[in-house]
Amino acid sequence: MNIANAVLKLEIGQANKTIHPGKLAPHAGNNPKGESFGFTNFYMTRNGEPSIPIVGEFHFSRFSYLHWEEELLKMKAGGVHLLATYVFWNFHEEEEGVFDWSGNRNLRHFIDLCAKHELPLILRIGPFCHGEVRNGGIPDWVFRYPLEVRSNDERYLSLARRLYREISRQIQGTYYQEGGPVIAVQLENEYMHAGAPLDAWGYGSGQFVTAGTDGSAHLAELRRIAEEVGIRPLFFTATAWGGAAVPEEGTLPMLAGYAYTPWIPNQPPSREFLFQDLHVTPAEPVNYDSLEYPVAYCEMAGGMQVSYKARPYVPAESIEGMTLVKLGSGSNLLGYYMYHGGSNPIGRKTFLNESGLPKMTYDYQSPLGEFGRVGESYDRIRAISLFLQSFGSVLAPMGTVLPEGQEAITPEDIASIRWCVRQKDGSGFVFLNNFQDHVALPDHRLRIELDTPQGQAFFPQTGEFTLRSGLGVILPFNLELDGLFIASATVQLLTRLEAGDETVLVFYAHDGMEPEIVLRKTSVSAVETEGNHGRVEEDEANWIVRPTAGLQHQIFVKKVDGKAVRLVTLTRTEALQTYRFDGLWGQDTLVISTSHLAVKDGQLICTSPGQSSMTLSLCPASAPSARLRSSTGVLQAAAEHDGGLFQTYTLEFVAYTPELAIASPTDRSALVAVPADWPESVSDVWLHIEYDGDVAAAYLGDRMLTDHIHYGLPWEIGLKQVRHELENHQLHLSITPLRQGTVHSFVNQAYVERFEGVEIAKIHDIRAIPHYSARLWPQVE
């Protein structure tokens, strides 16, 4: 469905955003290498430059420590700049006085890996964390004592002091100013805003851990205790939404944005996809002066955990759409909860999950999932991160400008176009969003006309474009990059890099939007294109470039200073397959691949789920990347593309089909024998299970491996963590029925339940999916 054509007009005459040191400025700091973090009231700085970091939440204790490094490298390849992790009290002191920092609970080992791979870390240490664990992370035994949790009760604070002392021992010497990765610590969570089910109660629902009543005084006391035992990061953070308590000094308030929320029954469409100026007017009430701090998110939905009573499916479009809306609305720090899912450990006395949620799985539908699953949102976040890595320092000082009427749009409004501008001195970016949760937005035919201090900008130069349903777009205007003045473009900037003596600017095209880049003649002396690479027109003031989308097509631009710039416009599919690895084999390298990529020890790790062939295109196509070797498979270099900017390879593996032996004692269960002798080219085997039912569980030997609450998508289980057990154990899959009918219950000496209707429980298909993998490195001559 199309909505009638619209011409969007905006006159940009506003003053620039007022930027001053802000309340966090005193908490800047350097490490021994001279690298630094700092703050203004509007953005974070990295080494003195404005920065918009991506923060990814990954709970180390919910994943196998044997694979932490692999997953951290995937996060880094996915564009994560900072990590955040909870330290759940009850995971480490389930029994009073007995602390466990071993195996998957080894916090120090996790921190050391973050240091090794230069991933700065935010620790969220409680005592109350929530995170959908039992009692919000407070051990059951605490509730035996006559004390008030989450308060300044001295008996509770003495336990908090002991916990903090233990954490301090684990993280000694790891702070950023000491050369380690720990830059910040969060004390408590959602204080004065939210509690959690009190699962230690044990008699039924309706009992909750308190949200707290002591306001900032409790957070101040926790900070005093933390600093007393040696926990002294550059700065502290606090979850600040919903009027939660925020300390006056030394703390970065951080926000949340969720659209698919199990805690809201029959949830209406949310306001998370509407533009606003968050720096001036936060999305909800807060207890701090928003003009004195950057707009920072620590819990922007990277998915959502499925619970028994609420089973939302979170589409990748929503994660991309929310990111673009928060960015356009002035957020200068984007944190995803969760970025990486996992599995709850099994406690000594009980499962450690929050009631109503799966006992083990905490996949969260996140970009990286329970067993390292790579989701569709992983690629979308990485594309945004590539943009921020190259152009975040330009965007960060820009303020939000809302066109008239934007603040009046409601989530249910399908006719109005959601858009805004971020600008400084009349240059900036247009943000468009055409996604809304729980509502299908139509395609829009439109044209944008901006009147700015640097002249007019049109999108497109003539005519209109289509903004497709579900799409989010960032378009530049009046932007000077590497001496090239971009008046406007209907393609989105992705990244930039140096290739020999040339600068390469990489854009990508969106479906429905004919690619167009308008360059001011004052910065360009010539534009060259040949064959089917695109068309070039000119008027009195501009070169109008209409490039052909695809990595094999390039436009050569000669600037007035005589230097060259190449413009590459990828397809959206290619953009979502693009990775950037700085310093790979001695040069900054773009890799466009049909496989998942990461770098370890100077080797490019390529993984292809279910496909025995993959392609890789590397830019720049120069030595040594033109002479590569592969650990497995057959690697072949294709002929160079026109212009020689990219070198393409194919990597072929011998196809492998794991032979499963499946026995089905009932429709509700299956015994699956999986071969453990995988070929060298196969790094993992996943089970893909399609079933109808209520909940499911997978057992290996005498223990539960994982579980699953059915929410409409297939159940997937990665097996490499238990490969050593597959030779001697079958995997037992069990499902419970989904009832369609009526339950009659009554008490007659005992509780009696009678069901009238149909019980649905059936396993339809079980398939094994091999993950092919190879390491690539340059051949030494």
Side-chain angles (χ1 to χ4, degrees):
M1 179 176 68
N2 279 309
I3 292 293
N5 297 6
V7 178
L8 308 180
K9 296 184 179 183
L10 180 62
E11 182 176 347
I12 299 175
Q14 291 86 345
N16 292 335
K17 177 64 67 173
T18 300
I19 297 175
H20 58 267
K23 290 216 169 182
L24 277 173
H27 297 272
N30 292 63
N31 67 12
K33 296 179 182 179
E35 300 164 334
S36 67
F37 282 98
F39 292 95
T40 71
N41 68 318
F42 198 55
Y43 51 76
M44 177 182 274
T45 63
R46 188 80 187 265
N47 301 326
E49 292 293 318
S51 172
I52 304 179
I54 298 285
V55 185
E57 186 101 8
F58 177 28
H59 299 158
F60 66 97
S61 52
R62 282 171 155 158
F63 209 85
S64 167
Y65 75 98
L66 297 174
H67 300 282
W68 282 345
E69 185 170 29
E70 177 184 348
E71 299 308 304
L72 289 174
L73 291 172
K74 285 160 65 175
M75 292 181 72
K76 190 170 184 177
V80 169
H81 307 119
L82 309 175
L83 256 73
T85 193
Y86 272 133
V87 182
F88 294 115
W89 185 4
N90 58 351
F91 284 15
H92 297 282
E93 195 187 6
E94 187 182 359
E95 297 179 353
E96 184 177 4
V98 181
F99 281 89
D100 185 355
W101 300 101
S102 65
N104 297 349
R105 295 170 170 86
N106 192 335
L107 172 61
R108 183 53 178 255
H109 178 40
F110 183 77
I111 293 174
D112 288 344
L113 287 173
C114 291
K116 175 182 177 181
H117 296 294
E118 300 181 320
L119 284 165
L121 180 62
I122 300 170
L123 293 177
R124 307 173 78 182
I125 66 173
F128 177 87
C129 293
H130 201 186
E132 290 72 64
V133 303
R134 187 176 175 87
N135 310 319
I138 298 177
D140 280 18
W141 57 262
V142 172
F143 298 96
R144 299 199 307 256
Y145 291 105
L147 54 78
E148 184 69 24
V149 301
R150 304 184 79 186
S151 80
N152 283 345
D153 183 325
E154 278 300 324
R155 292 161 295 189
Y156 176 69
L157 292 177
S158 69
L159 297 177
R161 181 179 290 106
R162 185 174 70 187
L163 171 66
Y164 283 5
R165 188 182 295 117
E166 284 287 329
I167 293 172
S168 182
R169 288 180 59 236
Q170 299 299 315
I171 66 178
Q172 185 177 4
T174 67
Y175 299 105
Y176 185 75
Q177 58 270 34
E178 300 172 309
V182 177
I183 61 168
V185 170
Q186 177 187 305
L187 307 174
E188 247 284 342
N189 186 50
E190 299 182 321
Y191 191 69
M192 298 284 290
H193 171 67
L198 180 54
D199 293 314
W201 173 253
Y203 294 102
S205 61
Q207 296 293 322
F208 289 87
V209 177
T210 176
T213 59
D214 291 335
S216 294
H218 180 53
L219 298 183
E221 189 63 17
L222 288 178
R223 177 168 176 174
R224 185 190 66 78
I225 293 170
E227 291 180 335
E228 186 179 86
V229 301
I231 298 175
R232 297 177 178 270
L234 282 183
F235 59 96
F236 290 87
T237 70
T239 47
W241 53 87
V246 177
E248 280 291 319
E249 300 294 335
T251 301
L252 174 64
M254 303 189 80
L255 302 173
Y258 292 104
Y260 298 84
T261 49
W263 53 87
I264 300 178
N266 302 314
Q267 183 197 323
S270 73
R271 298 191 60 84
E272 302 294 346
F273 300 94
L274 303 176
F275 290 105
Q276 60 190 109
D277 188 343
L278 291 167
H279 197 234
V280 176
T281 308
E284 54 184 310
V286 295
N287 285 323
Y288 61 91
D289 183 354
S290 64
L291 295 178
E292 289 297 319
Y293 299 92
V295 179
Y297 277 81
C298 65
E299 291 197 17
M300 215 164 50
M304 178 51 65
Q305 179 67 346
V306 175
S307 65
Y308 188 75
K309 292 185 178 180
R311 310 182 183 199
Y313 161 65
V314 183
E317 292 87 348
S318 76
I319 297 168
E320 181 179 26
M322 187 183 296
T323 302
L324 295 185
V325 167
K326 301 307 182 188
L327 197 58
S329 298
S331 177
N332 278 334
L333 189 151
L334 304 170
Y336 295 93
Y337 189 102
M338 296 289 296
Y339 185 90
H340 199 311
S343 308
N344 290 320
I346 299 175
R348 294 185 180 93
K349 298 180 180 297
T350 183
F351 289 100
L352 295 172
N353 62 299
E354 180 180 294
S355 57
L357 276 76
K359 292 182 176 67
M360 292 194 66
T361 182
Y362 199 67
D363 179 81
Y364 214 85
Q365 305 177 56
S366 50
L368 296 176
E370 180 180 14
F371 299 100
R373 169 193 53 76
V374 178
E376 188 181 345
S377 56
Y378 176 81
D379 297 329
R380 295 174 186 239
I381 292 173
R382 187 181 64 252
I384 294 169
S385 180
L386 287 173
F387 166 74
L388 294 177
Q389 181 181 347
S390 290
F391 310 109
S393 60
V394 177
L395 175 63
M398 294 178 174
T400 297
V401 181
L402 293 175
E404 184 177 357
Q406 285 296 304
E407 293 173 309
I409 296 175
T410 63
E412 296 82 6
D413 183 347
I414 67 169
S416 299
I417 298 171
R418 297 121 184 264
W419 72 298
C420 76
V421 164
R422 282 186 68 169
Q423 73 88 36
K424 180 183 178 184
D425 297 327
S427 68
F429 298 89
V430 173
F431 289 78
L432 292 148
N433 169 53
N434 203 26
F435 177 88
Q436 175 66 56
D437 65 292
H438 300 87
V439 173
L441 299 183
D443 293 351
H444 291 277
R445 288 289 295 171
L446 61 99
R447 171 180 171 81
I448 300 173
E449 299 179 357
L450 303 181
D451 192 357
T452 83
Q454 298 196 47
Q456 292 183 312
F458 305 107
F459 307 83
Q461 194 73 355
T462 59
E464 301 168 327
F465 64 80
T466 298
L467 180 64
R468 292 282 173 84
S469 176
L471 193 64
V473 181
I474 307 173
L475 305 177
F477 66 92
N478 295 340
L479 209 61
E480 185 175 341
L481 299 175
D482 298 291
L484 197 66
F485 192 95
I486 301 173
S488 65
T490 61
V491 289
Q492 186 160 327
L493 277 164
L494 183 67
T495 189
R496 69 172 298 282
L497 78 161
E498 301 296 327
D501 297 330
E502 296 178 348
T503 297
V504 180
L505 286 178
V506 183
F507 300 81
Y508 67 97
H510 292 284
D511 294 341
M513 301 174 64
E514 182 183 358
E516 177 184 275
I517 305 170
V518 180
L519 306 174
R520 286 277 192 265
K521 285 186 173 179
T522 52
S523 67
V524 175
S525 61
V527 180
E528 300 176 8
T529 183
E530 297 178 358
N532 64 347
H533 291 289
R535 296 178 289 114
V536 179
E537 302 173 4
E538 59 180 303
D539 59 26
E540 185 175 343
N542 305 302
W543 295 96
I544 303 164
V545 181
R546 295 191 171 90
T548 303
L551 63 85
Q552 70 271 32
H553 302 295
Q554 299 128 42
I555 305 291
F556 180 86
V557 177
K558 187 175 182 181
K559 298 184 294 182
V560 292
D561 63 6
K563 295 182 179 179
V565 176
R566 281 186 193 258
L567 308 181
V568 178
T569 301
L570 304 177
T571 65
R572 178 170 167 84
T573 297
E574 290 170 340
L576 296 180
Q577 295 174 345
T578 299
Y579 294 73
R580 179 186 176 121
F581 300 107
D582 291 345
L584 178 65
W585 307 324
Q587 60 189 3
D588 296 346
T589 304
L590 292 188
V591 187
I592 302 174
S593 181
T594 56
S595 64
H596 306 313
L597 304 177
V599 169
K600 181 182 179 184
D601 300 329
Q603 299 176 78
L604 185 62
I605 312 299
C606 312
T607 304
S608 177
Q611 300 296 322
S612 61
S613 64
M614 62 179 79
T615 62
L616 304 97
S617 297
L618 283 73
C619 173
S622 57
S625 62
R627 300 187 299 276
L628 293 181
R629 297 184 62 186
S630 176
S631 61
T632 60
V634 178
L635 181 67
Q636 291 185 317
E640 289 185 0
H641 290 300
D642 294 342
L645 194 57
F646 284 87
Q647 174 65 58
T648 296
Y649 295 84
T650 59
L651 182 56
E652 302 279 348
F653 302 97
V654 175
Y656 168 64
T657 303
E659 295 184 6
L660 303 180
I662 303 173
S664 300
T666 71
D667 284 347
R668 303 179 183 184
S669 65
L671 297 174
V672 185
V674 184
D677 54 342
W678 308 339
E680 181 186 4
S681 60
V682 173
S683 60
D684 201 353
V685 170
W686 283 60
L687 290 185
H688 178 95
I689 304 151
E690 296 183 15
Y691 76 96
D692 285 321
D694 192 17
V695 300
Y699 299 90
L700 193 64
D702 61 354
R703 77 181 193 279
M704 182 184 287
L705 178 62
T706 187
D707 54 350
H708 187 261
I709 293 178
H710 197 286
Y711 66 103
L713 296 184
W715 182 21
E716 296 186 325
I717 305 173
L719 298 176
K720 71 179 176 185
Q721 295 179 21
V722 296
R723 178 181 178 181
H724 62 291
E725 300 179 63
L726 295 177
E727 187 172 355
N728 298 316
H729 295 286
Q730 293 177 308
L731 201 65
H732 172 208
L733 306 179
S734 175
I735 60 177
T736 60
L738 183 66
R739 286 177 165 180
Q740 293 183 352
T742 304
V743 176
H744 302 278
S745 59
F746 54 92
V747 175
N748 180 12
Q749 295 183 331
Y751 179 82
V752 178
E753 177 184 284
R754 291 178 180 169
F755 171 69
E756 296 177 355
V758 177
E759 290 188 335
I760 301 172
K762 186 174 180 60
I763 297 174
H764 299 292
D765 185 45
I766 302 173
R767 288 184 286 125
I769 300 177
H771 286 216
Y772 300 93
S773 186
R775 295 173 288 109
L776 306 185
W777 67 94
Q779 180 176 330
V780 178
E781 295 182 349

